[in-house]
Amino acid sequence: MSANSIDEAATNEVCASCGIAAGSDIKLRKCTACKNVKYCSVECQKNHRPKHKKACKKRAAELRDEILFKQPETTHEGECPICCIPHSLDVSKGTMMPCCSKTICNGCYFAMGYHTQCPYCRLPVPGTVAETGGETLIQQYRKKRLEANDDIAIRQLGTQLLGKGDYIGACEQWKKAAEMGNSRAHYELAVMYGRGRGVEEDSEKEKYHLEEAAIGGNPKARHYLGHYE
């Protein structure tokens, strides 16, 4: 199909390759890269790829830039789950709760006064209850968060492994957290790819993870991306 036919295909809800129209028994799926055209089958998408490849890459790059340069609503620190006010970039102004991996702003944390329960999930605060067995309450909480596939707990585990000098293990954990959309994990991976620690040095992957971290609101990542421009 010609370029005009492609535009028409996108407008008229027809397959960009064979031209068949969408119906109750025919579902069209958008090209996941450019979002401009639709196909009725994987076979049609493969057949149309040679004609669509150049325009697809161009549009995909434009969409990527739109996302990258869009001002995020909050930073990578997110917002307090109680008052819903965005967190400060100064991490000392919030308290990470090991029981639920939520960061509570100091305003909400201290407004409740001395407490024996987490302000958010209401589980006992470590140190306020008697602990039995070989594991401390904090260790139990961290284990449960890891079992729950919590991206924050996984990212923290990576940081702990880094502190022990296990670069490979740290990168493995950060990769898992990054796949879940954790902006900090993306930034940590960018640093590791830039220095070649735990992974093979790769400037392309470094830039990719910096972009993902910047999209997630990480100001350091956006700063270092400026070196690529």
Side-chain angles (χ1 to χ4, degrees):
M1 297 178 71
S2 65
N4 291 334
S5 297
I6 292 176
D7 292 336
E8 184 179 354
T11 303
N12 297 332
E13 293 292 315
V14 299
C15 176
S17 180
C18 67
I20 191 170
S24 58
D25 58 337
I26 298 176
K27 303 296 182 182
L28 301 182
R29 294 184 178 182
K30 285 184 178 181
C31 171
T32 55
C34 70
K35 315 293 185 184
N36 271 355
V37 296
K38 297 182 179 181
Y39 300 100
C40 64
S41 65
V42 174
E43 184 179 356
C44 273
Q45 186 170 8
K46 289 181 178 179
N47 292 338
H48 191 247
R49 182 62 180 169
K51 297 179 181 179
H52 179 57
K53 185 176 181 180
K54 186 176 180 180
C56 182
K57 284 189 174 182
K58 181 181 178 181
R59 181 54 184 159
E62 292 173 350
L63 290 174
R64 178 72 173 177
D65 284 345
E66 287 177 11
I67 297 173
L68 180 60
F69 293 105
K70 182 180 179 181
Q71 181 67 30
E73 295 182 0
T74 63
T75 69
H76 63 297
E77 298 293 345
E79 60 184 29
C80 174
I82 296 177
C83 66
C84 298
I85 294 177
H87 283 302
S88 168
L89 291 175
D90 182 353
V91 294
S92 67
K93 295 184 177 180
T95 302
M96 170 72 76
M97 307 305 297
C99 45
C100 56
S101 296
K102 300 295 184 183
T103 298
I104 311 299
C105 73
N106 287 350
C108 289
Y109 190 84
F110 293 116
M112 299 187 71
Y114 178 78
H115 43 72
T116 59
Q117 294 180 323
C118 169
Y120 182 75
C121 71
R122 306 302 181 185
L123 285 175
V125 173
T128 62
V129 294
E131 297 179 355
T132 59
E135 292 184 329
T136 64
L137 194 56
I138 289 181
Q139 290 174 326
Q140 293 175 28
Y141 284 155
R142 286 176 177 170
K143 185 177 180 180
K144 287 181 179 179
R145 296 316 304 165
L146 288 171
E147 291 174 349
N149 230 19
D150 186 309
D151 65 289
I152 296 176
I154 293 172
R155 190 255 303 161
Q156 288 179 323
L157 176 58
T159 302
Q160 291 171 10
L161 292 173
L162 178 70
K164 296 177 181 179
D166 185 357
Y167 296 150
I168 295 177
C171 287
E172 288 177 352
Q173 298 304 318
W174 285 334
K175 286 178 181 179
K176 293 178 184 178
E179 288 175 356
M180 299 178 193
N182 191 288
S183 179
R184 280 193 185 183
H186 276 296
Y187 179 76
E188 298 294 354
L189 282 173
V191 173
M192 300 303 268
Y193 275 113
R195 298 176 180 177
R197 292 183 177 179
V199 289
E200 186 176 347
E201 187 173 341
D202 191 321
S203 59
E204 287 297 318
K205 289 184 178 180
E206 177 190 12
K207 184 180 180 182
Y208 166 76
H209 286 293
L210 282 176
E211 288 182 350
E212 288 298 311
I215 291 171
N218 192 310
K220 284 186 179 180
R222 194 166 292 279
H223 167 77
Y224 286 116
L225 273 177
H227 293 287
Y228 283 95
E229 298 299 328

